[in-house]
């Protein structure tokens, strides 16, 4: 198929030429074809919304999940009764004020709208886009145009005709270039079948503007968080991983100054940065995409998708993004960034202090961690998290089973002894196992650390091998004289002296931890209670030092 590409800005105001091109687009749509169309929000992939076969082609070309409905594009509220039923007066109130514009209303549908368009729902999304070219095309085509955003499913949306060409160019009949999108994020989706109405997707029309006109609206949980597997968002599209570049994204919220500093701490080579203009100079060795001034959300909305898309042509391994606050357009911009990050979000304003606590058996790590709890902190037991993933994640089990066939029983229970024999026989096998474990464990632990507020200790034997030390403000080696350790392990585990020595010698020695960690907490005490008090004072001083350091920046 040959795609026709029309740049309507090229015609330099030659009215006849523009009209001809609009007619050609309308004709293609009437005949069941696909046209990339400009709107003020993002580019759409349009087809006759009343033609099931044409709509099916949209799903094919985008690779869109079948259960994700499309929205209908019309030229004004006078079209509502054609496609919608039980229309509440508030729909007209909203249309009068905000149409044409970035507001999609969810209403009961008429039987004229095929199941293909609504993905079988008894409701339909409908909006009037604010772009003269697309309004003219719809008018001339004479029917509602179903159009999702023109990106292939999962990618960031298209805000220029070039983006559309890149994503679906070879699979559509025509692309109409109407210039870069002026809003830059998709429409706000509002469910009017509920009372009060419910925000399903934040977008180009701020919630505050809607509430000023019609009063309080509810916000769907999918707007601010990733949903658990069994949860269903109001808008089916909100459950999918979305807008994501190939490299993983982490969003850093908080005041612009704090988030910039937080990113600076993580700005290793190979890191990509999305930031406000004022902070771009902090990242001379990174690939930087600027969102615009921190105070200018209009510009940020226009640039956010292009910023996310552009990393795919670079070799960055990881992306960190600053994020505006939730007011006005900020809610939509932040939502797109957070979705791109799979809601992997770190709040740079939180007074989080992460301590990595490590050391061999019998040194007193448990008492030290008790002291962290005494100080009001929390403890993440990495070993417990490992066991939890082991019991819950089939993907994890499969990965282990692939490398070490037969270590699981028929019931899916791990045969620890067998796995132990396999990995301790050969060093490289242990490394394979660790690589698998870290691949699953680290993202989980990173998310737990990011969610922690205040003081938090990571209890990890392999703090350095796993790379978890990166997440810590300080790493602490808990050490103790060998003879004391032997005595403690014998008493604790009711084992012989010989076996206790064997266990201690099988582990890394204190020198190792001492050499790797930022500081050492030596436990030469005979009483666990006394050591717990010592540890309490030790951590108290350490926290003060870290806080002071953070204050100074
Ligand atoms: O700005 C926009 O809305 C752009 C331009 C092209 O108009 N279009 C757009 O379409 O973003 P799309 O398909 O990418 O996103 C539509 C969202 C999806 O999350 C979808 O699940 C939701 O609206 N949606 C559509 N119909 C719905 C319905 N009947 N009930 C609930 N959610 C619906
Ligand atoms: Mg979309």
């Amino acid at each position: 198929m040959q795609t026709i590409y029309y740049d309507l800005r090229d015609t330099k105001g030659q009215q006849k030429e523009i009209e001809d091109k609009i007619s050609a687009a309308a004709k293609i749509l009437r005949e069941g074809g696909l046209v990339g169309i400009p709107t003020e929000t993002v580019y759409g992939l349009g087809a006759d919304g009343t033609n099931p076969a044409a709509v099916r082609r949209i799903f094919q070309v985008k690779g869109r999940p079948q259960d994700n409905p499309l929205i209908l594009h019309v030229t004004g509220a006078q079209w509502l009764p054609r496609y919608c039923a039980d229309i509440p007066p508030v729909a007209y109130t909203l249309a009068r004020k905000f149409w044409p514009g970035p507001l999609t209303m969810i209403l009961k549908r008429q039987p004229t709208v095929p199941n293909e368009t609504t993905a079988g729902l008894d409701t339909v999304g409908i909006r009037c886009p604010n772009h003269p070219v697309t309004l003219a095309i719809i008018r001339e085509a004479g029917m509602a145009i179903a159009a999702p955003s023109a990106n292939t499913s999962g990618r960031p949306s298209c805000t220029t005709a070039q983006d559309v060409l890149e994503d679906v160019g070879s699979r559509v009949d025509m692309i109409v270039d109407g210039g870069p999108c002026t809003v830059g994020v998709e429409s706000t989706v509002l469910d009017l079948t509920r009372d009060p109405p419910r925000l399903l997707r934040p977008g180009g029309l701020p919630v505050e503007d809607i509430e000023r006109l019609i009063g309080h609206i509810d916000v769907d949980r999918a707007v601010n968080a990733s949903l658990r597997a069994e949860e269903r968002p109001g808008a089916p599209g909100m459950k999918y991983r979305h807008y994501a570049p190939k490299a993983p994204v982490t969003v850093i919220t908080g005041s612009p100054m704090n988030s910039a500093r937080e990113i600076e701490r993580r700005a290793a080579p190979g890191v990509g940065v999305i930031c406000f203009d004022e902070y771009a100079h902090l990242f001379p060795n990174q690939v930087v995409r600027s969102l615009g001034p921190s105070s200018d959300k209009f510009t940020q909305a226009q640039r956010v998708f292009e910023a996310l898309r552009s990393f795919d042509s670079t070799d960055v391994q990881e992306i960190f993004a600053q994020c505006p606050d939730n007011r006005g357009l900020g809610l939509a911009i932040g939502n797109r960034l957070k979705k791109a990050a799979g809601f992997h979000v770190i709040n740079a304003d939180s007074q989080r202090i992460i301590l990595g606590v490590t050391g061999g058996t019998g040194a007193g790590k448990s008492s030290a961690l008790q002291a962290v709890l005494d100080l009001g902190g929390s403890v993440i037991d990495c070993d417990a998290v490992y066991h939890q993933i082991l019991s819950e994640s089939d993907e994890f089990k499969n990965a282990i089973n692939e490398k070490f066939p037969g270590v699981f029983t028929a019931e899916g229970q791990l045969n620890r002894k067998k796995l132990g024999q396999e990995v301790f026989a050969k060093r490289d096998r242990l490394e394979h196992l660790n690589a698998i474990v870290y691949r699953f464990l680290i993202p989980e632990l990173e998310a737990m650390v990011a969610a922690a507020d205040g003081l938090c200790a990571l209890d990890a034997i392999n703090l350095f091998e796993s790379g978890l030390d990166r997440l810590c403000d300080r790493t602490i080696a808990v050490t103790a004289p060998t003879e004391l350790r032997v005595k403690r392990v014998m008493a604790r585990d009711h084992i012989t002296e010989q076996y206790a020595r064997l266990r201690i010698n099988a582990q890394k020695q204190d020198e190792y931890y001492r050499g790797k960690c930022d500081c050492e907490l030596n436990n030469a005490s005979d009483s666990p209670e006394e050591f717990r008090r010592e540890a309490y004072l030790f951590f108290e001083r350490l926290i003060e030092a870290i806080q002071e350091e953070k204050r100074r920046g």
Side-chain angles (χ1 to χ4, degrees), residues 42 62 64 68 148-151 154-155 157 186 201 242-243:
V42 299
K62 255 184 88 89
R64 184 175 176 105
N68 194 1
S149 50
N151 52 290
R155 283 208 81 193
S157 302
E186 300 92 333
R201 177 178 75 181
H242 237 124
Y243 312 125

Side-chain angles (χ1 to χ4, degrees), residues 457-529:
L458 267 178
D459 171 7
I461 282 262
N462 288 340
L463 190 62
F464 297 97
E465 294 81 346
S466 60
L468 283 169
D469 60 308
R470 276 191 307 110
L471 304 177
C472 302
D473 292 294
R474 286 285 195 291
T475 52
I476 297 108
V478 183
T479 59
T482 309
E483 292 314 307
L484 272 179
R485 287 176 66 191
V486 172
K487 265 188 8 198
R488 289 184 198 136
V489 173
M490 283 168 64
R492 187 189 65 196
D493 299 343
H494 310 291
I495 55 176
T496 62
E497 183 182 333
Q498 193 193 10
Y499 191 41
R501 283 192 196 280
L502 208 68
R503 289 250 306 262
I504 289 170
N505 286 332
Q507 293 186 346
K508 294 203 169 67
Q509 301 307 301
D510 278 356
E511 289 72 61
Y512 169 83
Y513 295 112
R514 208 172 275 136
K516 286 266 183 192
C517 288
D518 300 318
C519 33
E520 178 179 1
L521 176 57
N522 187 261
N523 175 9
S525 168
D526 273 330
S527 126
E529 287 72 37

Side-chain angles (χ1 to χ4, degrees), residues 166-321:
E166 183 183 305
D167 270 26
V168 296
S170 60
R171 286 167 286 161
V172 298
D173 302 289
M174 180 188 277
I175 294 170
V176 179
D177 188 343
C181 298
T182 52
V183 174
V185 290
E186 300 92 333
S187 60
T188 301
V189 179
L190 189 66
D191 184 354
L192 293 181
T193 67
R194 294 166 172 267
D195 192 19
R198 173 174 297 217
L199 176 77
L200 303 186
R201 177 178 75 181
L205 179 65
V207 173
E208 294 91 332
D209 294 6
I210 300 174
E211 287 194 319
R212 217 170 289 127
L213 187 67
I214 65 168
H216 172 77
I217 62 179
D218 287 339
V219 175
D220 202 69
R221 223 182 74 79
V223 170
N224 291 311
S226 71
L227 299 181
R228 290 183 295 277
E230 72 284 0
E231 266 185 296
R232 290 234 235 133
M238 293 291 277
K239 72 169 172 281
Y240 294 105
R241 181 167 150 86
H242 237 124
Y243 312 125
K246 290 179 190 129
V249 181
T250 302
V251 170
I252 315 283
T253 59
S255 75
M257 178 66 91
N258 285 353
S259 56
R261 288 222 181 106
E262 189 73 35
I263 296 176
E264 219 184 345
R265 285 178 40 191
R266 295 155 194 269
V271 157
V273 177
I274 296 177
C275 67
F276 303 125
D277 288 359
E278 301 94 301
Y279 304 97
H281 71 274
L282 294 177
F283 310 104
N285 301 316
Q286 277 68 37
V287 180
V288 176
R289 298 288 179 260
S290 191
L291 279 179
S294 61
S295 58
D296 180 359
K297 289 174 178 164
F298 287 98
T299 303
Q300 292 162 29
Q302 285 172 347
R303 292 194 190 163
V304 65
F305 282 129
E306 200 51 49
L308 287 166
R309 288 178 74 90
S310 70
F311 285 105
D312 283 352
S313 56
T314 71
D315 56 4
V316 307
Q317 301 297 306
E318 195 178 4
I319 300 164
F320 292 100

Side-chain angles (χ1 to χ4, degrees), residues 37 39-45 62 64 67-71 73 102 104 106-107 117-118 121-127 129 147-151 157 185-189 191 200-201 234-238 242-243:
I37 51 172
T39 86
E40 81 281 29
T41 57
V42 299
Y43 272 75
L45 182 59
K62 255 184 88 89
R64 184 175 176 105
D67 67 349
N68 194 1
L70 306 179
I71 59 186
H73 295 69
T104 296
I106 307 294
L107 294 162
T117 301
T118 67
L121 298 179
D122 62 353
T123 56
V124 62
I126 194 157
R127 96 169 182 104
S149 50
N151 52 290
S157 302
V185 290
E186 300 92 333
S187 60
T188 301
V189 179
D191 184 354
L200 303 186
R201 177 178 75 181
M238 293 291 277
H242 237 124
Y243 312 125

